[in-house]
Amino acid sequence: MPSRLNRRLFLGSTATAAVGYSELAALGAAPILAELAPLDRTELQTDARFVQFRPEIEPLVRLIETTPRERLLEEIGGRVRNGLNYQHLLTALFLAGIRNVQPRPAVGFKFHAVLVVNSAHLASLASPPADRWLPIFWSLDEFKKSQARDEVEGDWTMPAVDEPRVPTARHTESVFAQAMEQWDEPAADTAATGVARHLGANRALDLFARYVARDFRSIGHKAIYLANSWRTLQTIGWQHAEPVLRSLAYATLNHVGEPNPATSDLEPDRSWRDNQRLAETIRPDWNGGSVDAAATGQLLDALRVGSAQEAAQLSVDLLNRQISPQSIFDALHTGAAELLMRQNGIVALHAATTTNAMRFLFDHVGDDHTRRLLLLQAAAFLPQFREAMRKRGEVADLQIGQALVSTDDASGHADLPAILSSIRREPSVAAKRTAGWLAAGNDPQQLLDATRRLIFLKGNDSHDYKFSSAVLEDFSLVSPAWRNQFLAASTYSLRGSQEPDNGLIERIRTSLT
């Protein structure tokens, strides 16, 4: 328990402070740092035009913001050695990104410095104690890279709140809903402030979840942002929610280069309109039902060739046939992994990370109607990812089960080092080796731990952390009948042991010792 300030000492300190500088000099209190130029009081004040954080975290945020990239890891390493704790650093890093990196023109690109923080935190939690500082130090360097890019693109900084427009507690929800429905950015900014001030974390999640999942802009990053930022706030504390929710509202309303979606019929919004109708046709007790591998296979077939509307309609049909939502998500997770095999690239990777985010939101949102929409939108997104892949090149015509059958007994029964050495160099071989190794009864945790450590050593992009954290989390959520195929296909975008080190590990080690 913190001690209270002694009143006499407090009065004495304020009295001393009231003595003029010349009087102190006359008493022999010469300037301690007389050789330095005097520091004007205005240089210590913050700029009222921009958002400010809580006083206990603002100094560390400013240190991260202002320290050059080439010195930041060493500066923070020294503070860690002197007692800076992990949670304080995680908080400051996340908020530095919120204030300094604009989630435009799309919720991605340089903004991955913010999106990756929760993924790095999950990697830290799952790591051996000796490795747990590595992901957050990597993320510090990633922030400085994104900050530099933001400066080149206009040097955006989150402005202070327009206080007179913040709604009261009574009107917050209705004002927020109206602003988001109308894609009204100024109104949404102050409404999001009201959500943070007047409503709890769970209600905020329910409110935002409806809007991050309603359109396919930014290839799923809106849902990813909500899932990752809400989870980060659960770690650092809801007292930091206000600037985060403001940034999230701003990101969610992104439709750069298009007319207002509220008054337009635009392609990215059509699945949402269709699924609002479909959601009403789902049986009342839809949360129950049986887990059925055949139903999962049926939906997988639809995801390979069908439209977004057909995938959503089939999901409704399965639910109404007493099939569990788990079987639908089995198809979505496995179908996203299959896309990596059909065209390994950034679009397929985001199919996996978006499905991860939509599954998290589905599992944590309380509103029944919103959960229905999240499930249907997750199903509708995968065909849209598939078509986005076609615009980038050929999408292979293969099915995950057949593609993972090894034609070489040796590759089907390879040991773990052989699997790790073939990842990225021979993706199809690595996937087949993984499937065979898992089918032989080997412990998947060994592979999960090994691939996570390789991200620390070899990873050089935010997607390495985002993707690996999503895959390693979803592995436990997929039903046993599909789990091994899911993980084997996911090796297409993990890191292998034969890749070069990222060069940052040695610098991190040095900064911490």
Side-chain angles (χ1 to χ4, degrees):
M1 179 180 294
S3 60
R4 286 183 288 183
L5 182 65
N6 180 280
R7 183 173 181 272
R8 181 175 295 176
L9 290 175
F10 174 76
L11 292 174
S13 67
T14 55
T16 301
V19 177
Y21 191 83
S22 59
E23 288 89 341
L24 284 174
L27 294 173
I32 297 172
L33 299 176
E35 70 277 11
L36 297 181
L39 186 62
D40 189 88
R41 179 185 296 271
T42 58
E43 296 182 62
L44 301 177
Q45 296 173 341
T46 56
D47 193 328
R49 295 173 301 166
F50 304 122
V51 66
Q52 304 300 317
F53 302 128
R54 296 173 66 89
E56 70 271 17
I57 201 67
E58 178 70 32
L60 185 57
V61 176
R62 295 186 72 182
L63 176 73
I64 293 171
E65 291 172 338
T66 58
T67 303
R69 181 182 181 186
E70 62 271 16
R71 290 193 358 240
L72 180 60
L73 299 189
E74 291 72 18
E75 180 69 34
I76 296 299
R79 290 176 180 251
V80 168
R81 295 195 304 272
N82 289 325
L84 175 63
N85 68 51
Y86 173 86
Q87 185 162 336
H88 206 60
L89 178 56
L90 180 72
T91 304
L93 168 63
F94 187 57
L95 295 180
I98 292 293
R99 180 160 67 191
N100 287 270
V101 184
Q102 185 182 27
R104 298 285 177 93
V107 192
F109 300 103
K110 64 183 183 291
F111 199 67
H112 277 105
V114 175
L115 300 176
V116 79
V117 170
N118 179 67
S119 300
H121 172 61
L122 292 178
S124 293
L125 288 177
S127 300
D131 291 344
R132 285 178 180 160
W133 284 107
L134 296 177
I136 194 169
F137 269 71
W138 183 91
S139 297
L140 283 166
D141 188 69
E142 186 71 7
F143 163 71
K144 296 306 291 188
K145 183 168 65 175
S146 293
Q147 183 186 31
R149 181 170 174 179
D150 187 83
E151 289 172 357
V152 170
E153 295 179 2
D155 199 13
W156 179 88
T157 304
M158 178 179 282
V161 175
D162 185 358
E163 290 289 347
R165 295 192 62 186
V166 177
T168 62
R170 179 181 178 184
H171 296 106
T172 287
E173 286 199 28
S174 61
V175 172
F176 178 79
Q178 182 177 12
M180 299 301 283
E181 294 288 348
Q182 296 302 313
W183 296 71
D184 183 339
E185 290 181 11
D189 181 68
T190 49
T193 303
V195 171
R197 293 179 184 179
H198 305 313
L199 307 178
N202 290 336
R203 187 57 187 152
L205 183 67
D206 275 10
L207 292 175
F208 273 93
R210 283 185 60 86
Y211 299 106
V212 299
R214 69 178 168 179
D215 67 293
F216 191 64
R217 296 176 184 87
S218 300
I219 58 170
H221 281 104
K222 296 180 181 183
I224 293 170
Y225 187 14
L226 173 58
N228 285 1
S229 63
W230 191 84
R231 297 173 80 169
T232 304
L233 284 169
Q234 296 303 101
T235 300
I236 68 177
W238 193 249
Q239 67 269 24
H240 301 293
E242 185 174 308
V244 178
L245 296 192
R246 291 179 61 207
S247 173
L248 181 60
Y250 180 52
T252 301
L253 295 184
N254 174 41
H255 61 99
V256 173
E258 297 176 325
N260 188 334
T263 56
S264 308
D265 180 24
L266 303 174
E267 181 63 32
D269 307 303
R270 288 173 188 158
S271 291
W272 178 254
R273 290 198 294 272
D274 291 338
N275 288 335
Q276 285 182 305
R277 174 187 56 80
L278 280 178
E280 301 297 335
T281 68
I282 298 173
R283 61 188 172 91
D285 57 342
W286 64 278
N287 280 303
S290 59
V291 176
D292 187 323
T296 297
Q298 184 182 356
L299 182 54
L300 265 174
D301 287 338
L303 294 173
R304 292 174 182 128
V305 296
S307 67
Q309 186 176 15
E310 289 168 338
Q313 180 64 65
L314 179 56
S315 298
V316 171
D317 294 342
L318 293 174
L319 291 173
N320 289 338
R321 282 169 34 197
Q322 308 290 322
I323 299 298
S324 168
Q326 175 64 41
S327 291
I328 294 173
F329 271 112
D330 285 341
L332 302 184
H333 288 301
T334 306
E338 183 182 274
L339 288 177
L340 289 167
M341 304 178 73
R342 299 178 67 183
Q343 186 195 89
N344 189 18
I346 197 68
V347 177
L349 182 147
H350 282 100
T353 55
T354 298
T355 302
N356 167 266
M358 298 288 273
R359 175 66 181 270
F360 177 85
L361 297 177
F362 175 85
D363 286 343
H364 289 81
V365 162
D367 183 79
D368 181 82
H369 187 67
T370 301
R371 295 183 77 235
R372 297 180 188 214
L373 287 168
L374 287 166
L375 181 62
L376 299 185
Q377 285 291 95
F381 278 179
L382 285 188
Q384 294 178 73
F385 275 111
R386 186 195 68 223
E387 294 309 305
M389 290 163 56
R390 292 193 193 283
K391 295 177 182 178
R392 290 175 171 248
E394 181 182 358
V395 178
D397 182 17
L398 58 78
Q399 298 185 12
I400 189 169
Q402 298 170 2
L404 291 175
V405 175
S406 176
T407 57
D408 181 352
D409 289 341
S411 69
H413 299 284
D415 59 13
L416 185 56
I419 292 172
L420 299 177
S421 69
S422 56
I423 291 176
R424 287 293 175 111
R425 292 192 305 124
E426 301 174 286
S428 64
V429 171
K432 290 175 181 178
R433 285 177 172 174
T434 301
W437 186 82
L438 293 170
N442 290 290
D443 182 5
Q445 193 61 47
Q446 296 179 36
L447 178 61
L448 299 178
D449 291 343
T451 53
R452 182 182 290 111
R453 187 169 179 80
L454 285 172
I455 295 300
F456 298 165
L457 296 171
K458 315 291 184 179
N460 54 25
D461 186 271
S462 294
H463 296 102
D464 290 322
Y465 276 92
K466 279 177 54 191
F467 177 75
S468 61
S469 290
V471 167
L472 303 184
E473 180 175 72
D474 292 342
F475 175 74
S476 63
L477 298 177
V478 175
S479 296
W482 299 94
R483 190 172 291 163
N484 289 354
Q485 293 183 39
F486 167 78
L487 182 56
S490 298
T491 61
Y492 269 69
S493 284
L494 294 175
R495 287 288 174 182
S497 60
Q498 298 303 305
E499 295 182 88
D501 288 352
N502 57 27
L504 201 59
I505 291 296
E506 196 54 44
R507 188 177 161 206
I508 295 173
R509 284 178 179 144
T510 301
S511 72
L512 289 169
T513 57

